[in-house]
Amino acid sequence: MAIITVENLVKKFDNLTAVNNISFEVEEGTIFGFLGPNGAGKTTTINILCTLLSPTSGRTFIAGHDCMKEPAEVRKSIGIVFQDTTLDKDLTAYENLIFHAYLYNVPKNERQERVYDVLRFVDLFDRKNDLVKKFSGGMKRRLEVARGLIHRPSVLFLDEPTLGLDPQSRANLWEFIKELPEKHHVTIFMTTHYMEEAEVCDRIAIIDNGKIIAMGSPAELKMTVGGDIVYIRTTDNVKTQEEIKRLFGFDVSEKGEELYMTCLMGDTCIPEMIRTIGEGVLSVRLQRPTLNDVFLKLTGKAIREEEASEGDNVKEHVRAYRRRQ
Amino acid sequence: MEFNAIYVIVAREFKKFIRERSRLISTIARPLLWLFIVGTGMSRLVSPDTGVPYIQFIFPGILGMTILFSSIFSSISIIWDKEFGFMKEILVAPVSRFSIVIGKALSGTVVSTIQAVIILALFPFIGFKLGILQIIWVILISAALSFCLSAFGIVLATFYESYESFSVIMNFIIMPMFFLSGAMYPIKLLPDILNLISKINPLTYGIDAMKHVLFQFKTGTMSPDFLFIIDIAVIIGTSVLFVIVAGKLFERKK
């Protein structure tokens, strides 16, 4: 059953189209990833789903409720971890969570227990009486995930949950996120521009310039790249290049001292190639396609190249737009 | 009405207020400076036969000032909450915008009334003899005025996205409101244009109501400017107006 439905969603800020006619569905109990570079329209889409923004056109439903017509119902069924922290740093971890429990009308006799439960889940129970300003980035993010679960939402939104965290905290956070659908009966809707992190998703939509350019499971998407990439270095690259082309029919290119080509089953291809070329082989390596390659293939650019430039421009534009309103 | 939400918004503000000693000290220090330094200095200039010693005359004004600063500061914290993201946590919750505004206005009411009571406790030092009924009235008026100005502060806060705008609010709104409120001089002595501006300032009516309670005389230069019932009606009326406007401003999505 689809728990999130988005139909022909469009959002314009003046002459900038942040979201350009996207449609998709998210199945209950899955992890759905929304991938794309900064400024692609991910946060705008989340803000519309969270009822913080009105769309220019199109419709969105969460757990059967229309985000425009029944915002209160939608808000009850969602939890959100925003890109920038939304904790009150001058309150303790416990106070931040109990604030949330009151705000979401958690029954009086359950408030404390639920807060304790989620604190234990993210390993912060021992720190419950510490002020949040003393927490590290990773701890704050975990606390926010915990907070988002207190009112038992059907959907938990995670907007760039690992942004700004060190690799260890990132790995640690993913351990918690992976367990969420099963342990807390919640559907995860996450955005990220770290392609490798999207591997945990059951389904992924890749968005660029406000449009969804591909959708599927990580494995399906990687198949579209056309298989593995084999790199080979030999004593005579020119001769090898010709030989491989002639015998295997691969399109071989040269990059630095290496030759590389795409083949469907790289691991079985390599032994054959070595047998054919014989003595001249110096090194061989195999690269499995990553989601980054998928993005590269679809858009002709790597996802991080334009991170700073274009993405920030869009953010500036949206800020300026809001100030004028 | 979402009482849980309103309660917790007020509880948060109260907790932070108690924790931030420096904020409490600085908001208490300002009225003390005005009362004892400016008040004492000005007493030498003001003729003693106006019916009331100058330091007593400005006492309602100083109470009004305490409430003005504390209420606006409390509401302006919304800008901080926006800047640091906490506002989003409140805005995505299943809570009506009105409850948020009421909660924020009551937060300001609680902290401002506490500060006003602290200043009020100084009355014996400046020669006042107040009965219990007078004290209760002043506290009630303080609470009503605090709510009104906190709601006004929320309206202000919805127009600003970052705290850089703070000095603008300070210099162009708070200070003129204070100077044109009858706190330091009776508004009946002001030229027409300034007198008119004073009359659209809700703080004027709050201070005027306190003058009614604190001063025994009803005529003369230093006497109250409006009827007590009008003072109260204006405070309540503008409170309702500000809450409605703030609620509407909070509602709009961009």
Coordinates of all heavy atoms in Angstrom, one line a residue, chain B residues 100-182:
Chain B
I100 N -0.2 28.5 19.1 CA 1.2 28.9 19.2 C 1.3 30.4 19.6 O 2.1 30.7 20.5 CB 2.0 28.7 17.8 CG1 1.9 27.2 17.4 CG2 3.4 29.3 17.9 CD1 2.5 27.0 16.0
V101 N 0.5 31.2 19.0 CA 0.5 32.7 19.3 C 0.1 32.9 20.8 O 0.8 33.6 21.5 CB -0.4 33.5 18.4 CG1 -0.5 34.9 18.9 CG2 0.2 33.5 17.0
I102 N -0.9 32.2 21.2 CA -1.4 32.3 22.6 C -0.3 31.9 23.6 O 0.0 32.5 24.6 CB -2.7 31.5 22.9 CG1 -3.8 32.0 22.0 CG2 -3.1 31.5 24.3 CD1 -4.7 33.1 22.5
G103 N 0.3 30.7 23.2 CA 1.4 30.2 24.1 C 2.5 31.2 24.2 O 3.1 31.4 25.3
K104 N 2.9 31.7 23.0 CA 4.1 32.7 23.1 C 3.7 34.0 23.8 O 4.5 34.5 24.6 CB 4.5 33.0 21.6 CG 5.5 32.1 21.0 CD 6.8 32.4 21.7 CE 7.9 31.3 21.3 NZ 9.1 31.5 22.1
A105 N 2.4 34.4 23.6 CA 2.0 35.7 24.3 C 2.0 35.4 25.8 O 2.4 36.3 26.6 CB 0.7 36.1 23.8
L106 N 1.5 34.2 26.2 CA 1.4 33.9 27.7 C 2.8 33.8 28.2 O 3.1 34.1 29.4 CB 0.6 32.7 27.9 CG -0.9 32.8 27.8 CD1 -1.6 31.5 27.9 CD2 -1.5 33.9 28.8
S107 N 3.8 33.3 27.4 CA 5.2 33.2 27.9 C 5.7 34.5 28.3 O 6.2 34.7 29.3 CB 6.1 32.6 26.8 OG 5.6 31.4 26.3
G108 N 5.4 35.5 27.4 CA 5.9 36.9 27.6 C 5.1 37.4 28.9 O 5.7 38.1 29.7
T109 N 3.9 37.1 29.0 CA 3.1 37.6 30.1 C 3.7 37.1 31.5 O 3.9 37.9 32.4 CB 1.6 37.1 30.0 OG1 1.1 37.4 28.7 CG2 0.7 37.7 31.1
V110 N 4.0 35.8 31.5 CA 4.6 35.3 32.7 C 5.9 35.9 33.1 O 6.0 36.5 34.2 CB 4.7 33.7 32.6 CG1 5.5 33.2 33.8 CG2 3.4 33.0 32.5
V111 N 6.8 36.0 32.2 CA 8.1 36.5 32.6 C 8.1 38.0 32.8 O 8.7 38.5 33.7 CB 9.2 36.2 31.5 CG1 9.4 34.7 31.4 CG2 9.0 36.8 30.2
S112 N 7.2 38.7 32.1 CA 7.1 40.2 32.3 C 6.5 40.5 33.6 O 6.9 41.4 34.3 CB 6.3 40.9 31.2 OG 7.0 40.6 29.9
T113 N 5.4 39.8 33.9 CA 4.7 40.1 35.2 C 5.6 39.8 36.4 O 5.6 40.6 37.3 CB 3.4 39.2 35.2 OG1 2.7 39.4 34.0 CG2 2.6 39.6 36.4
I114 N 6.4 38.7 36.3 CA 7.3 38.5 37.4 C 8.3 39.7 37.6 O 8.5 40.1 38.7 CB 8.2 37.2 37.1 CG1 7.2 36.0 37.1 CG2 9.3 37.0 38.1 CD1 7.9 34.7 36.7
Q115 N 8.8 40.2 36.5 CA 9.7 41.3 36.6 C 9.0 42.6 37.1 O 9.6 43.3 37.9 CB 10.4 41.5 35.2 CG 11.3 40.4 34.9 CD 12.0 40.5 33.5 OE1 12.6 41.5 33.3 NE2 11.7 39.6 32.7
A116 N 7.8 42.8 36.6 CA 7.1 43.9 37.1 C 6.8 43.8 38.6 O 7.0 44.8 39.3 CB 5.7 44.0 36.3
V117 N 6.5 42.6 39.1 CA 6.3 42.4 40.5 C 7.6 42.8 41.3 O 7.6 43.4 42.4 CB 5.8 41.0 40.8 CG1 5.9 40.7 42.3 CG2 4.4 40.9 40.3
I118 N 8.7 42.4 40.8 CA 10.0 42.7 41.4 C 10.2 44.2 41.6 O 10.6 44.7 42.6 CB 11.2 42.0 40.7 CG1 11.1 40.5 40.8 CG2 12.5 42.5 41.3 CD1 12.1 39.7 39.9
I119 N 9.9 44.9 40.5 CA 10.1 46.4 40.5 C 9.0 47.0 41.4 O 9.3 47.9 42.2 CB 10.0 47.0 39.1 CG1 11.0 46.4 38.2 CG2 10.0 48.5 39.1 CD1 12.5 46.7 38.6
L120 N 7.8 46.4 41.4 CA 6.8 46.9 42.2 C 7.1 46.9 43.7 O 6.8 47.7 44.5 CB 5.5 46.2 41.9 CG 4.2 46.5 42.8 CD1 3.8 48.0 42.5 CD2 3.1 45.6 42.5
A121 N 7.9 45.8 44.0 CA 8.2 45.6 45.4 C 9.1 46.7 46.0 O 9.3 46.9 47.2 CB 9.0 44.3 45.6
L122 N 9.6 47.6 45.1 CA 10.4 48.7 45.5 C 9.6 49.9 46.1 O 10.2 50.9 46.5 CB 11.3 49.2 44.4 CG 12.3 48.2 43.8 CD1 13.0 48.8 42.6 CD2 13.4 47.9 44.9
F123 N 8.3 49.8 46.0 CA 7.5 51.0 46.3 C 7.8 51.7 47.6 O 7.8 52.9 47.7 CB 6.0 50.7 46.1 CG 5.3 49.9 47.2 CD1 4.9 50.5 48.3 CD2 5.2 48.5 47.0 CE1 4.3 49.8 49.3 CE2 4.6 47.8 48.0 CZ 4.1 48.4 49.2
P124 N 8.1 50.9 48.7 CA 8.3 51.6 50.0 C 9.6 52.6 49.9 O 9.6 53.6 50.6 CB 8.6 50.5 51.0 CG 8.1 49.3 50.3 CD 8.2 49.5 48.9
F125 N 10.5 52.2 49.0 CA 11.8 53.0 49.0 C 11.6 54.4 48.3 O 12.4 55.2 48.4 CB 12.8 52.2 48.2 CG 13.2 51.0 48.9 CD1 12.7 49.7 48.4 CD2 14.0 51.0 50.0 CE1 13.1 48.5 49.0 CE2 14.4 49.8 50.6 CZ 13.9 48.6 50.1
I126 N 10.5 54.6 47.6 CA 10.3 55.9 47.0 C 9.1 56.6 47.6 O 8.5 57.5 47.0 CB 10.1 55.8 45.5 CG1 9.1 54.7 45.1 CG2 11.4 55.4 44.8 CD1 8.7 54.8 43.6
G127 N 8.7 56.2 48.8 CA 7.8 56.9 49.6 C 6.3 56.6 49.3 O 5.4 57.3 49.7
F128 N 6.0 55.5 48.7 CA 4.6 55.1 48.4 C 4.1 54.3 49.7 O 4.8 53.6 50.3 CB 4.5 54.2 47.2 CG 4.2 54.9 45.9 CD1 5.1 54.8 44.9 CD2 3.0 55.6 45.8 CE1 4.8 55.5 43.7 CE2 2.7 56.2 44.6 CZ 3.6 56.1 43.5
K129 N 2.8 54.5 49.9 CA 2.1 53.7 50.9 C 1.0 53.0 50.2 O 0.0 53.7 49.8 CB 1.6 54.5 52.1 CG 2.7 55.0 53.0 CD 2.1 55.7 54.2 CE 3.2 56.2 55.1 NZ 3.9 57.4 54.4
L130 N 1.1 51.8 49.8 CA 0.1 51.1 49.0 C -0.7 50.1 49.8 O -0.1 49.4 50.6 CB 0.7 50.4 47.8 CG 1.5 51.3 46.8 CD1 2.0 50.4 45.7 CD2 0.6 52.4 46.3
G131 N -2.0 50.0 49.6 CA -2.8 49.0 50.2 C -2.8 47.7 49.4 O -2.3 47.7 48.2
I132 N -3.2 46.6 50.0 CA -3.2 45.3 49.3 C -4.0 45.4 48.0 O -3.6 44.8 47.0 CB -3.6 44.2 50.2 CG1 -3.5 42.8 49.6 CG2 -5.1 44.4 50.7 CD1 -2.1 42.4 49.5
L133 N -5.1 46.1 48.0 CA -6.0 46.1 46.8 C -5.3 46.8 45.7 O -5.3 46.4 44.5 CB -7.3 46.9 47.2 CG -8.5 46.4 46.4 CD1 -8.8 44.9 46.8 CD2 -9.7 47.2 46.8
Q134 N -4.5 47.9 46.0 CA -3.8 48.6 45.0 C -2.7 47.7 44.4 O -2.5 47.7 43.2 CB -3.1 49.9 45.6 CG -4.0 51.1 45.8 CD -3.3 52.2 46.5 OE1 -2.9 52.0 47.7 NE2 -3.1 53.3 45.9
I135 N -2.1 47.0 45.2 CA -1.0 46.1 44.7 C -1.6 45.0 43.8 O -1.1 44.8 42.7 CB -0.3 45.4 45.9 CG1 0.5 46.5 46.7 CG2 0.6 44.3 45.4 CD1 1.2 46.0 48.0
I136 N -2.7 44.5 44.2 CA -3.4 43.5 43.3 C -3.8 44.1 42.0 O -3.5 43.5 40.9 CB -4.6 42.8 44.0 CG1 -4.1 42.0 45.2 CG2 -5.4 42.0 43.1 CD1 -5.3 41.5 46.1
W137 N -4.3 45.3 42.0 CA -4.7 45.9 40.8 C -3.5 46.2 39.9 O -3.5 45.9 38.7 CB -5.4 47.3 41.1 CG -6.9 47.2 41.1 CD1 -7.7 47.3 42.2 CD2 -7.7 46.9 40.0 NE1 -9.0 47.1 41.8 CE2 -9.1 46.9 40.4 CE3 -7.5 46.6 38.6 CZ2 -10.2 46.6 39.6 CZ3 -8.6 46.4 37.8 CH2 -9.9 46.4 38.3
V138 N -2.4 46.6 40.5 CA -1.2 46.9 39.6 C -0.7 45.6 39.0 O -0.4 45.6 37.8 CB -0.1 47.5 40.5 CG1 1.2 47.6 39.7 CG2 -0.5 48.9 40.9
I139 N -0.8 44.5 39.8 CA -0.3 43.2 39.2 C -1.2 42.8 38.1 O -0.8 42.3 37.0 CB -0.2 42.1 40.3 CG1 0.9 42.5 41.3 CG2 0.1 40.8 39.7 CD1 1.0 41.6 42.5
L140 N -2.6 43.0 38.3 CA -3.5 42.6 37.2 C -3.3 43.4 35.9 O -3.3 42.9 34.8 CB -5.0 42.8 37.7 CG -5.5 41.7 38.7 CD1 -6.9 42.1 39.1 CD2 -5.4 40.3 38.1
I141 N -3.1 44.7 36.1 CA -2.9 45.6 35.0 C -1.5 45.2 34.3 O -1.4 45.1 33.1 CB -2.8 47.1 35.4 CG1 -4.2 47.5 35.9 CG2 -2.4 48.0 34.2 CD1 -4.2 48.8 36.7
S142 N -0.5 44.9 35.1 CA 0.8 44.5 34.6 C 0.6 43.2 33.7 O 1.2 43.1 32.6 CB 1.8 44.1 35.7 OG 2.0 45.3 36.5
A143 N -0.2 42.3 34.2 CA -0.4 41.0 33.4 C -1.1 41.3 32.1 O -0.7 40.8 31.0 CB -1.1 40.0 34.3
A144 N -2.1 42.1 32.1 CA -2.9 42.5 30.9 C -2.0 43.2 29.9 O -2.0 42.9 28.7 CB -4.1 43.3 31.3
L145 N -1.2 44.2 30.5 CA -0.3 45.0 29.6 C 0.8 44.0 29.0 O 1.1 44.2 27.8 CB 0.3 46.1 30.4 CG 1.2 47.1 29.6 CD1 0.4 47.8 28.5 CD2 1.9 48.1 30.5
S146 N 1.3 43.1 29.8 CA 2.3 42.2 29.3 C 1.8 41.3 28.2 O 2.5 41.1 27.2 CB 2.7 41.2 30.5 OG 3.2 42.0 31.6
F147 N 0.5 40.9 28.4 CA 0.0 40.0 27.3 C -0.2 40.8 26.0 O 0.2 40.4 24.9 CB -1.4 39.5 27.7 CG -2.0 38.6 26.8 CD1 -1.7 37.2 26.8 CD2 -2.9 39.0 25.8 CE1 -2.2 36.3 25.9 CE2 -3.4 38.1 24.8 CZ -3.1 36.8 24.9
C148 N -0.7 42.1 26.2 CA -0.9 43.0 25.0 C 0.4 43.2 24.3 O 0.5 43.1 23.1 CB -1.5 44.3 25.5 SG -1.7 45.5 24.2
L149 N 1.5 43.6 25.0 CA 2.8 43.9 24.4 C 3.5 42.7 23.9 O 4.2 42.8 22.8 CB 3.6 44.7 25.4 CG 3.1 46.1 25.8 CD1 4.0 46.7 26.8 CD2 2.9 47.0 24.6
S150 N 3.3 41.6 24.5 CA 3.9 40.3 24.0 C 3.3 40.0 22.7 O 3.9 39.6 21.7 CB 3.7 39.2 25.0 OG 4.3 39.5 26.2
A151 N 1.9 40.1 22.6 CA 1.2 39.8 21.3 C 1.7 40.8 20.3 O 1.9 40.4 19.1 CB -0.3 39.9 21.5
F152 N 1.9 42.1 20.6 CA 2.4 43.0 19.7 C 3.8 42.6 19.2 O 4.2 42.7 18.0 CB 2.5 44.4 20.3 CG 3.2 45.5 19.5 CD1 2.6 45.9 18.3 CD2 4.4 46.0 19.9 CE1 3.2 46.8 17.5 CE2 5.0 47.0 19.1 CZ 4.4 47.4 18.0
G153 N 4.6 42.1 20.2 CA 6.0 41.7 19.8 C 6.0 40.5 18.8 O 6.8 40.4 18.0
I154 N 5.0 39.6 19.0 CA 4.9 38.5 18.0 C 4.6 39.0 16.6 O 5.2 38.5 15.6 CB 3.8 37.5 18.5 CG1 4.2 36.9 19.9 CG2 3.6 36.4 17.5 CD1 3.0 36.2 20.5
V155 N 3.7 40.0 16.5 CA 3.4 40.6 15.2 C 4.7 41.1 14.6 O 5.0 40.9 13.5 CB 2.3 41.7 15.4 CG1 2.2 42.4 14.0 CG2 1.0 41.2 15.8
L156 N 5.5 41.9 15.4 CA 6.8 42.4 15.0 C 7.7 41.2 14.5 O 8.3 41.3 13.4 CB 7.5 43.1 16.1 CG 7.0 44.5 16.5 CD1 8.0 45.0 17.6 CD2 7.0 45.4 15.3
A157 N 7.7 40.2 15.3 CA 8.7 39.1 15.0 C 8.3 38.4 13.7 O 9.2 37.9 13.0 CB 8.7 38.1 16.2
T158 N 7.1 38.4 13.3 CA 6.7 37.7 12.1 C 7.3 38.4 10.8 O 7.4 37.8 9.8 CB 5.2 37.5 11.9 OG1 4.6 38.8 11.9 CG2 4.6 36.7 12.9
F159 N 7.7 39.7 11.0 CA 8.2 40.4 9.9 C 9.7 40.2 9.7 O 10.2 40.7 8.7 CB 7.9 41.9 10.0 CG 6.4 42.2 9.8 CD1 5.6 42.5 10.9 CD2 5.9 42.2 8.5 CE1 4.3 42.8 10.7 CE2 4.6 42.5 8.3 CZ 3.7 42.8 9.4
Y160 N 10.4 39.7 10.6 CA 11.8 39.6 10.6 C 12.3 38.2 10.5 O 11.8 37.3 11.2 CB 12.5 40.4 11.7 CG 12.1 41.8 11.7 CD1 11.1 42.3 12.4 CD2 12.9 42.7 10.9 CE1 10.8 43.7 12.4 CE2 12.6 44.0 10.8 CZ 11.6 44.5 11.6 OH 11.3 45.9 11.5
E161 N 13.3 37.9 9.7 CA 13.8 36.6 9.5 C 15.1 36.4 10.3 O 15.4 35.2 10.6 CB 14.1 36.3 8.0 CG 12.9 36.1 7.2 CD 12.2 34.8 7.4 OE1 12.9 33.8 7.7 OE2 11.0 34.7 7.3
S162 N 15.8 37.4 10.6 CA 17.1 37.2 11.3 C 17.3 38.3 12.4 O 16.6 39.3 12.4 CB 18.3 37.2 10.4 OG 18.6 38.6 10.1
Y163 N 18.1 38.0 13.4 CA 18.3 38.8 14.5 C 19.1 40.1 14.2 O 19.2 41.0 15.1 CB 18.8 38.1 15.7 CG 20.1 37.4 15.5 CD1 21.3 38.1 15.6 CD2 20.1 36.0 15.3 CE1 22.5 37.5 15.4 CE2 21.4 35.4 15.1 CZ 22.5 36.1 15.2 OH 23.7 35.5 15.0
E164 N 19.5 40.3 13.0 CA 20.2 41.5 12.7 C 19.2 42.7 12.7 O 19.6 43.8 13.0 CB 20.8 41.5 11.2 CG 21.9 40.5 11.1 CD 22.0 39.9 9.7 OE1 21.4 40.4 8.8 OE2 22.6 38.8 9.7
S165 N 17.9 42.3 12.6 CA 16.9 43.4 12.6 C 16.6 43.9 14.0 O 15.9 44.8 14.2 CB 15.6 42.8 12.0 OG 15.5 41.5 12.4
F166 N 17.3 43.3 15.0 CA 17.0 43.6 16.4 C 17.2 45.0 16.7 O 16.4 45.7 17.4 CB 17.8 42.7 17.3 CG 17.5 42.9 18.7 CD1 16.3 42.4 19.2 CD2 18.3 43.6 19.6 CE1 16.0 42.6 20.5 CE2 18.0 43.8 20.9 CZ 16.8 43.3 21.4
S167 N 18.3 45.6 16.3 CA 18.6 47.0 16.6 C 17.6 47.9 16.0 O 17.3 49.0 16.5 CB 20.0 47.4 16.2 OG 20.2 47.3 14.9
V168 N 17.1 47.5 14.8 CA 16.0 48.3 14.2 C 14.8 48.4 15.1 O 14.2 49.5 15.3 CB 15.7 47.7 12.8 CG1 14.5 48.5 12.2 CG2 16.9 47.7 11.9
I169 N 14.4 47.2 15.5 CA 13.2 47.2 16.4 C 13.5 48.0 17.7 O 12.6 48.7 18.1 CB 12.9 45.7 16.8 CG1 12.5 44.9 15.5 CG2 11.8 45.6 17.8 CD1 12.3 43.4 15.7
M170 N 14.7 47.8 18.2 CA 15.0 48.5 19.5 C 14.9 50.0 19.3 O 14.3 50.7 20.1 CB 16.5 48.1 19.8 CG 17.0 48.6 21.1 SD 16.3 47.7 22.4 CE 16.6 48.8 23.7
N171 N 15.6 50.6 18.2 CA 15.7 52.0 18.1 C 14.4 52.7 17.5 O 14.1 53.8 17.8 CB 16.9 52.4 17.2 CG 18.2 52.1 17.9 OD1 18.3 52.4 19.1 ND2 19.2 51.6 17.2
F172 N 13.8 51.9 16.6 CA 12.6 52.6 16.0 C 11.3 52.2 16.5 O 10.3 52.8 16.1 CB 12.7 52.3 14.4 CG 13.9 53.0 13.8 CD1 15.1 52.4 13.6 CD2 13.8 54.4 13.5 CE1 16.2 53.0 13.1 CE2 14.9 55.1 13.0 CZ 16.1 54.4 12.7
I173 N 11.2 51.2 17.3 CA 9.9 50.8 17.9 C 9.9 50.9 19.4 O 9.1 51.6 20.0 CB 9.5 49.4 17.4 CG1 9.3 49.5 15.9 CG2 8.2 49.0 18.0 CD1 9.1 48.2 15.2
I174 N 10.8 50.2 20.0 CA 10.7 50.1 21.5 C 11.0 51.5 22.2 O 10.2 51.9 23.0 CB 11.7 49.1 22.1 CG1 11.4 47.7 21.4 CG2 11.6 49.0 23.6 CD1 12.2 46.6 22.0
M175 N 12.1 52.1 21.8 CA 12.4 53.4 22.4 C 11.3 54.5 22.2 O 10.9 55.1 23.1 CB 13.8 53.9 22.0 CG 15.0 53.1 22.5 SD 14.9 52.5 24.2 CE 15.3 54.0 25.1
P176 N 10.9 54.7 20.9 CA 9.8 55.7 20.7 C 8.5 55.3 21.5 O 7.9 56.2 22.1 CB 9.5 55.6 19.2 CG 10.8 55.1 18.6 CD 11.4 54.2 19.6
M177 N 8.2 54.0 21.6 CA 7.0 53.6 22.4 C 7.2 54.0 23.8 O 6.2 54.4 24.5 CB 6.9 52.1 22.3 CG 6.0 51.6 21.1 SD 5.9 49.8 21.1 CE 4.4 49.6 22.1
F178 N 8.4 53.8 24.3 CA 8.7 54.2 25.7 C 8.5 55.7 25.9 O 7.9 56.2 26.8 CB 10.0 53.7 26.2 CG 10.4 54.2 27.5 CD1 9.7 53.9 28.7 CD2 11.6 55.0 27.7 CE1 10.1 54.4 29.9 CE2 12.0 55.5 28.9 CZ 11.2 55.1 30.1
F179 N 9.2 56.5 25.0 CA 9.2 58.0 25.2 C 7.8 58.6 25.0 O 7.5 59.6 25.5 CB 10.2 58.6 24.3 CG 11.6 58.3 24.6 CD1 12.6 57.8 23.7 CD2 12.1 58.4 26.0 CE1 13.9 57.5 24.1 CE2 13.4 58.1 26.3 CZ 14.3 57.6 25.4
L180 N 7.0 57.9 24.2 CA 5.7 58.5 23.9 C 4.6 57.7 24.6 O 3.6 57.3 24.0 CB 5.4 58.5 22.4 CG 6.3 59.5 21.6 CD1 6.2 59.3 20.1 CD2 6.1 60.9 22.0
S181 N 4.8 57.5 25.9 CA 3.8 56.6 26.6 C 3.3 57.3 27.9 O 2.6 56.8 28.6 CB 4.5 55.3 27.0 OG 5.5 55.6 27.9
G182 N 3.8 58.6 28.1 CA 3.5 59.2 29.4 C 4.3 58.7 30.6 O 3.9 59.0 31.7

